[in-house]
């Protein structure tokens, strides 16, 4: 069940481990931007008007659209507190 | 050797790595903007003194994360490195990497090294890393990568001298040492690379495989070459995406061992200042409020700060023209100078203060990292209108001048979103509309206060809002009409907040303002000379007749000297070619409430909107350099032959709407042509903008009259 979770399933402030990607083109871009399988990812914030996710992985801060966030399969680590 | 040999050095790196700071450190003011061969996109080159005898040309390539680009900007960087035949193909590369993101930055670094180009790594942001107790063993890094690594500080220039020394060594050595390839191609890739190598000359297998990845989009390949490469890829079952992923994964496996050896600790996730700021700045409620507060402040600043320098420029040029008029004989060339060229130049320069202030503030917001947050917040809304979050930067810039705003759309990955942004940006009220609005609003609305607000100010503000709303609605229409297969991405890096680097701000500002002055300026100047000819000359004999008629009428009316002169000027304009053109279009514009005199102004202001004010004041014998208040007062009293006022409220509203919507700016059309490489888009833009203007003015006039 956990294997089917993606970034959009995370709560704000929750961290997870990146497992793999669902779509090649997005994977290529995200990996080039430093978002790698095995790396931790934290959902910092959802955009005020929805549709975008502000995430942090190691020292990288990235904004992803829903479709892009959905393409990142994750293993949630802990529940968000913020 | 006759001329000193200039080696070409490309400056490459990820976005936000501090590339522009280093470029400015290396080249100072010795920068020029040219075009990339094959693509009409601006490229910055600068000269760098390596030592007393040696100079090098530094070519600033747009930032990209990898050799698999998605935006036009990124593609330029990659294509420039793949086209080995281009005259500016680099002899060496400076790769700027950020210690804080070292692992990721090794990707593009090893990619460019695999093209067999000598590379020097300029390691930036060491000061920030040290603050966070992150140390980097550069000697070890250099050993692992088999290339020189120099610690630099783009902000204060530390290490730049050392970097130049290394560059000198590399560019003067006959065969610089190159590292062994970092990436081992798969069997399938090797096969494809070999076959691509038979089609056209390649540097090595990696170069060949990159040509196979990008074949369809490379501007320097012939159609036959593209087709041949495509058929090779197809027959070898080459899958570009799979191959990219394989390559990136293989490279990263090596980087992990590199960073483990050279960094004092692995990266962790401390709660930084950026996190704290973003808690407010991207907050659900506070975020958008802060954005609009900043917008208000920015526009307030434009109006508050630009009036004084604008008046000063205006006065200087008026005085210069007046002085020259007295000194020079009354010949055609003197009039061309004082009535055509000088007002033309003045018409360009007068906008410099406003544009400078607006771009200064926008650049500042970008430099500190705020703009990326705005993009993040508004991406979803923008997408509903067929735009991209990044469009917000262009739309805000459009408030100064559409030309640099349109140029800033290059960061938008998706073709359709970029086109729509280009199409609708000119509806954001730019600074050239301000003088037109000021006269027209002043004419129909008294300077009267509603509470603390000035009624004229409220109207002004609402014109901006109408323009912005119209831009969004137009975007919606384009979204429905246009088709694209291109995927759309946001995937935006939100850089850590940082103090603005003033040198960068100044350089960027200089670039944007010169884009306006040179881009728009040239066209405005040429057109103003053409228009001067049209307005100063008429069919044979007619101009003399105009002077005679005006002189007789003036003596009948017992005008004083100045009034007589103004009256003669007005009559001459009526009888000139421009006057005839005004009469020709009168039937078309009559339903909008415009007479042929306004028609003349519409024609003369086609190059640039602000010309309207000058033409109208000449036509109504007000004298060219009258104050706004005089113009308003005189225009109010203008009567048609039947005694009714010319500038009724209906006419003024109709005119305001016309100038709000119509594409009265040749320079923008020229910029759109340059950016889209096709006349189709400027033509569509002209048609839909001016068409909307006509309908809006028609409705307003017919309803209000």
């Amino acid at each position: 069940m956990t294997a089917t979770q993606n970034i959009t399933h995370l709560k704000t402030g929750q961290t997870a481990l990146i497992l793999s990607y669902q779509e090649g083109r997005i994977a290529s871009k995200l990996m080039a931007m430093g978002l790698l399988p095995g790396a931790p990812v934290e959902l910092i914030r959802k955009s005020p008007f929805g549709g975008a996710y502000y995430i942090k992985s190691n020292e990288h801060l990235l904004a992803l659209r829903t479709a892009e966030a959905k393409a990142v399969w994750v293993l949630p680590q802990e529940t968000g507190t913020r | 050797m006759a001329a000193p040999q200039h080696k070409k050095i490309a400056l490459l790196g990820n976005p936000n790595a501090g590339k522009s700071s280093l470029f400015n450190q290396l080249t100072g003011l010795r920068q020029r903007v040219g075009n990339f061969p094959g693509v009409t996109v601006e490229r910055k080159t600068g000269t760098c003194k390596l030592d007393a005898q040696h100079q090098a040309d530094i070519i600033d390539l747009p930032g990209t994360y990898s050799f698999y680009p998605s935006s036009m900007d990124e593609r330029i960087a990659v294509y420039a490195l793949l086209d080995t035949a281009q005259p500016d193909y680099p002899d060496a590369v400076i790769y700027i990497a950020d210690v804080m993101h070292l692992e990721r930055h090794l990707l593009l670094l090893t990619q460019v090294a695999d093209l067999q180009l000598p590379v020097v790594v300029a390691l930036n942001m060491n000061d920030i890393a040290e603050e966070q107790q992150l140390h980097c063993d550069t000697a070890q890094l250099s050993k692992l990568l088999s290339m020189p690594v120099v610690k630099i500080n783009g902000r204060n220039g530390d290490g730049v001298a050392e970097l130049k020394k290394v560059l000198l060594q590399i560019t003067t050595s006959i065969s610089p040492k190159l590292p062994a390839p970092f990436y081992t191609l798969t069997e399938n890739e090797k096969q494809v690379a070999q076959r691509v190598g038979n089609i056209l000359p390649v540097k090595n297998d990696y170069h060949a495989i990159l040509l196979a990845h990008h074949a369809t989009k490379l501007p320097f390949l012939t159609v036959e070459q593209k087709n041949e490469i495509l058929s090779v890829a197809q027959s070898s079952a080459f899958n570009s995406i799979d191959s990219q992923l394989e390559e990136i994964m293989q490279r990263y496996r090596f980087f992990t061992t590199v960073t483990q050896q050279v960094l004092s600790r692995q990266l962790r996730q401390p709660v930084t200042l950026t996190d704290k700021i973003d808690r407010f700045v991207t907050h659900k409620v506070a975020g958008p409020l802060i954005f609009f507060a900043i917008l208000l402040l920015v526009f307030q600043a434009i109006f508050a700060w630009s009036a004084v320098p604008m008046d000063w420029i205006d006065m200087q040029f008026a005085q210069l023209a007046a002085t020259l008029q007295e000194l020079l004989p009354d010949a055609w060339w003197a009039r061309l100078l004082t009535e055509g060229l000088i007002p033309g130049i003045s018409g360009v320069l007068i906008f410099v203060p406003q544009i400078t202030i607006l771009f200064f503030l926008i650049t500042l917001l970008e430099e500190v990292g705020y703009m990326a947050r705005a993009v993040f917040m508004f991406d979803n809304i923008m997408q509903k209108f067929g735009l991209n979050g990044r469009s917000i930067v262009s739309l805000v810039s459009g408030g100064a001048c559409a030309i640099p705003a349109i140029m800033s759309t290059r960061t938008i990955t998706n073709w359709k979103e970029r086109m729509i942004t280009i199409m609708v940006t000119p509806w954001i009220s730019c600074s050239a509309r301000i003088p037109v609005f000021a006269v027209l609003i002043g004419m129909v609305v008294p300077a009267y206060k509603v509470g603390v607000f000035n009624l004229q100010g409220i109207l002004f503000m609402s014109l901006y809002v109408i323009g912005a709303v119209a831009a969004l609605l137009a975007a919606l229409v384009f979204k429905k009409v246009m088709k694209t297969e291109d995927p759309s991405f946001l995937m935006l890096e939100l850089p850590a907040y940082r103090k603005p680097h003033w040198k960068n701000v100044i350089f960027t500002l200089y670039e944007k303002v010169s884009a306006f002055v040179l881009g728009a300026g040239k066209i405005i100047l040429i057109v103003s000379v053409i228009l001067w000819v049209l307005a100063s000359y008429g069919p044979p004999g007619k101009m003399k007749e105009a002077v005679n008629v005006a002189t007789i009428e003036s003596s009948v009316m017992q005008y004083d000297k100045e009034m007589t002169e103004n009256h003669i000027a007005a009559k001459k304009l009526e009888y000139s070619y421009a006057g005839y053109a005004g009469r020709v279009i009168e039937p078309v514009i009559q339903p909008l409430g415009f007479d042929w005199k306004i028609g003349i102004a519409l024609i003369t202001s086609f190059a640039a909107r602000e010309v309207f004010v000058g033409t109208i004041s000449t036509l109504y014998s007000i004298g060219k350099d009258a104050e706004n208040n005089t113009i308003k007062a005189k225009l109010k009293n203008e009567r048609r032959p039947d005694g009714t006022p010319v500038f009724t409220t209906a006419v003024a509203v109709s005119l305001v709407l016309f100038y709000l919507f119509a594409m009265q700016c040749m320079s923008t059309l020229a910029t759109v042509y340059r950016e889209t490489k096709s006349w189709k888009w400027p033509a569509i833009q002209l048609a839909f903008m001016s068409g909307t203007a006509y309908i809006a003015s028609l409705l307003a006039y017919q309803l209000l009259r």
Side-chain angles (χ1 to χ4, degrees):
Chain A
M1 178 201 128
T2 44
T4 57
Q5 302 230 37
N6 60 50
I7 287 183
T8 64
H9 291 119
L10 297 179
K11 295 193 192 87
T12 306
Q14 192 178 9
T15 51
L17 279 182
I18 299 174
L19 295 174
S20 65
Y21 298 97
Q22 199 177 21
E23 206 268 334
R25 198 189 298 265
I26 294 176
S28 164
K29 260 218 63 112
L30 286 182
M31 287 202 286
M33 294 178 87
L35 212 64
L36 296 171
V41 61
E42 180 191 345
L43 178 62
I44 304 268
R45 211 179 250 304
K46 290 176 193 167
S47 137
F49 305 104
Y53 296 80
Y54 175 176
I55 58 162
K56 183 172 184 177
S57 174
N58 289 332
E59 307 282 335
H60 310 301
L61 305 174
L62 302 177
L64 304 182
R65 271 186 194 160
T66 307
E68 295 152 12
K70 272 190 178 158
V72 186
W73 276 326
V74 295
L75 181 65
Q77 296 288 290
E78 52 181 77
T79 347
T81 45
R82 258 189 279 154
Chain B
M1 213 175 299
Q5 210 186 347
H6 274 219
K7 291 285 184 179
K8 308 231 183 312
I9 301 173
L11 180 58
L12 184 71
N14 281 197
N16 303 311
K19 209 165 52 64
S20 41
S21 306
L22 179 59
F23 181 71
N24 294 334
Q25 291 284 0
L26 284 168
T27 62
L29 274 168
R30 299 175 300 275
Q31 304 183 358
R32 341 171 255 291
V33 175
N35 279 337
F36 278 105
V39 276
T40 44
V41 163
E42 267 150 40
R43 172 192 61 176
K44 273 197 304 179
T45 316
T47 315
C48 173
K49 256 180 123 83
L50 297 180
D51 71 0
Q53 287 92 40
H54 295 82
Q55 292 197 335
D57 286 337
I58 311 280
I59 301 156
D60 187 23
L61 296 176
T64 179
Y65 292 102
S66 79
F67 272 176
Y68 305 107
S70 41
S71 77
M72 182 175 167
D73 242 5
E74 296 172 342
R75 278 189 202 122
I76 290 161
V78 179
Y79 299 169
L81 292 168
L82 293 183
D83 183 8
T84 47
Q86 56 133 329
D88 279 351
Y89 192 76
D91 300 295
V93 174
I94 303 170
Y95 185 84
I96 179 146
D98 170 358
V99 189
M100 302 290 295
H101 299 97
L102 184 61
E103 189 176 31
R104 177 182 85 194
H105 286 211
L106 291 175
L107 177 65
L108 182 63
L109 168 66
T110 57
Q111 285 182 323
V112 69
D114 280 350
L115 283 179
Q116 278 180 312
L117 281 163
V119 181
V120 185
V121 182
L123 207 56
N124 200 8
M125 315 270 181
N126 294 289
D127 46 345
I128 298 169
E130 298 283 332
E131 265 172 41
Q132 300 189 13
Q133 277 96 47
L134 178 72
H135 309 284
C136 179
D137 181 350
T138 44
Q140 180 66 11
L141 182 62
S142 169
K143 205 177 122 200
L144 289 170
L145 297 172
S146 325
M147 57 179 91
V149 177
V150 180
K151 274 193 187 179
I152 59 131
N153 184 330
R155 284 175 176 251
N156 62 20
D158 281 354
V160 172
E162 169 70 16
L163 178 65
K164 287 183 185 176
K165 241 186 256 169
V166 178
L167 285 171
L168 185 64
Q169 261 168 28
I170 288 188
T171 50
T172 48
S173 88
I174 299 158
S175 52
K177 262 206 313 208
L178 294 173
F182 290 95
Y183 174 58
T184 316
L185 277 73
T186 62
E187 285 309 317
N188 174 264
E189 287 170 346
K190 271 185 203 154
Q191 203 184 43
V192 174
Q194 293 295 332
R195 295 176 61 191
V196 170
N198 294 333
I199 299 169
L200 73 170
V202 295
K203 284 191 88 168
N204 58 12
D205 281 359
Y206 187 60
H207 182 213
I209 206 74
L210 286 174
L211 292 176
H213 277 297
H214 301 304
T216 47
K217 289 191 166 145
L218 294 173
F220 55 87
L221 295 182
T222 64
V223 179
E224 293 81 50
Q225 285 173 329
K226 283 182 191 175
N227 288 337
E228 281 180 67
I229 295 177
L230 281 180
S231 73
V232 163
Q234 245 166 26
S235 66
S236 304
F238 171 71
N239 181 320
S240 174
I241 295 283
D242 288 350
S243 158
Q244 285 176 32
L245 292 177
E246 165 67 29
E247 179 195 330
I248 295 173
M249 290 300 278
Q250 195 196 105
R251 287 184 193 272
Y252 267 112
R253 277 197 285 275
F254 167 60
F255 304 156
T256 315
T257 63
V258 173
T259 52
Q260 271 167 4
Q261 288 184 56
V262 301
L263 293 182
S264 60
R265 61 164 171 81
Q266 291 308 295
L267 301 166
R268 56 192 165 87
Q269 304 188 18
V271 177
T272 58
L273 181 63
T274 296
D275 295 335
K276 285 181 201 150
I277 296 175
D278 272 340
R279 240 167 258 174
F280 292 100
V281 165
T282 63
H283 185 268
K284 217 181 200 144
V285 183
L289 285 179
I290 291 172
F291 177 79
F292 287 112
I294 290 176
L295 265 196
L296 268 181
L297 272 175
V298 165
F299 282 98
Q300 174 63 32
I302 299 173
F303 288 108
W305 298 340
S306 63
V308 173
M310 283 174 80
D311 287 346
W312 185 83
I313 293 174
D314 199 25
M315 230 169 64
Q316 295 306 309
F317 276 93
Q319 256 172 15
L320 177 69
T323 318
L324 287 176
Q325 243 158 4
E326 273 172 34
L327 290 175
L328 297 173
D330 186 26
W332 68 266
W333 55 267
R335 283 199 307 272
L336 172 65
L337 184 67
T338 56
E339 293 167 12
L341 280 173
I342 292 179
I345 296 171
S346 157
V348 175
L349 292 185
I350 194 115
F351 292 111
V352 169
Q354 277 176 352
I355 289 175
T356 309
I357 294 169
L358 182 48
F359 280 126
F360 170 74
L361 295 170
I362 292 174
T363 310
L364 201 63
L365 290 174
E366 275 187 273
E367 178 77 12
V368 297
Y370 179 75
M371 275 303 187
R373 272 71 186 180
V375 171
F376 159 70
M377 285 193 289
F378 292 98
D379 182 63
N380 197 29
I381 293 183
M382 289 285 137
Q383 263 190 292
K384 295 209 164 83
F385 291 99
L387 301 165
N388 185 294
R390 290 176 177 85
S391 309
I392 214 147
V393 181
S394 310
L395 292 177
V396 174
S397 309
C401 173
I403 296 161
I406 285 171
M407 287 170 15
S408 71
T409 59
R410 283 177 204 155
T411 52
I412 300 174
T413 359
N414 179 274
W415 172 83
K416 180 175 164 182
E417 290 170 345
R418 177 161 181 254
M419 281 307 138
I420 299 180
T421 311
I422 290 177
M423 284 293 123
V424 305
T425 295
W427 262 352
I428 303 295
S429 283
C430 66
S431 39
R433 286 181 177 93
I434 295 171
V436 181
F437 290 167
V439 166
L440 292 172
I441 289 179
M443 215 159 56
V444 283
V445 181
Y448 156 117
K449 292 214 167 180
V450 184
V452 287
F453 297 107
N454 180 321
L455 188 57
Q456 294 183 348
I458 293 174
L459 263 176
F460 228 109
M461 196 64 214
S462 41
L463 286 177
Y464 273 88
V465 174
I466 294 171
V469 171
L472 289 179
L473 292 179
L476 213 53
V477 175
F478 277 113
K479 184 192 174 190
K480 292 263 184 294
V481 180
M482 283 166 69
K483 296 269 173 291
T484 180
E485 303 288 299
D486 239 15
S488 162
F489 294 123
L490 174 62
M491 287 196 244
L492 173 76
E493 189 174 6
L494 300 167
Y497 287 106
R498 56 183 182 188
K499 275 179 261 162
H501 186 202
W502 293 108
K503 224 170 161 179
N504 278 359
V505 175
I506 302 295
F507 274 109
T508 314
L509 189 59
Y510 172 77
E511 257 172 60
K512 291 197 170 166
V513 173
S514 40
F516 163 75
V517 172
L518 301 176
K522 249 189 303 192
I523 293 175
I524 294 175
L525 197 62
I526 294 168
V527 175
S528 53
V529 169
I530 295 173
L531 292 172
W532 173 80
V533 172
L534 291 181
S536 313
Y537 294 90
K542 282 287 176 189
M543 292 313 257
K544 221 170 225 152
E545 191 187 322
V547 177
N548 289 339
V549 170
T551 319
I552 294 166
E553 281 179 3
S554 300
S555 66
V556 171
M557 304 292 289
Q558 296 184 328
Y559 284 163
D560 64 15
K561 187 165 172 285
E562 194 191 333
M563 282 165 78
T564 307
E565 268 175 22
N566 289 341
H567 190 58
I568 291 174
K571 269 281 180 264
K572 277 169 92 172
L573 188 48
E574 279 179 30
Y575 282 75
S576 69
Y577 290 115
Y580 282 93
R583 287 196 194 88
V584 169
I585 64 163
E586 192 175 25
V588 182
I589 56 173
Q590 212 159 24
L592 314 185
F594 306 161
D595 63 0
W596 61 273
K597 285 186 176 178
I598 297 177
I600 298 175
L602 293 188
I603 294 170
T604 56
S605 66
F606 181 66
R609 298 176 175 92
E610 69 281 4
V611 174
F612 172 83
V613 179
T615 308
I616 279 290
S617 27
T618 309
L619 275 172
Y620 290 106
S621 319
I622 300 164
K624 272 188 82 87
D625 307 315
E627 285 284 311
N628 258 359
N629 287 333
T630 328
I631 299 176
K632 284 177 216 161
K634 290 246 186 176
L635 290 183
K636 256 184 146 163
N637 293 327
E638 274 307 319
R639 293 284 182 270
R640 289 176 196 261
D642 61 7
T644 54
V646 176
F647 289 97
T648 57
T649 306
V651 172
V653 171
S654 169
L655 260 178
V656 165
L657 289 175
F658 190 85
Y659 275 93
L660 183 61
F661 292 127
M663 175 32 101
Q664 297 277 104
C665 182
M666 298 260 282
S667 328
T668 301
L669 290 175
T671 309
V672 174
Y673 167 71
R674 262 198 317 177
E675 291 293 318
T676 61
K677 286 173 236 150
S678 139
W679 284 112
K680 180 180 145 198
W681 295 107
I684 292 175
Q685 194 169 40
L686 177 64
F688 96 80
M689 286 182 68
S690 297
T692 310
Y694 190 90
I695 294 167
S697 294
L698 181 71
L699 287 178
Y701 179 69
Q702 297 298 339
L703 289 175
L704 289 173
R705 109 192 140 124

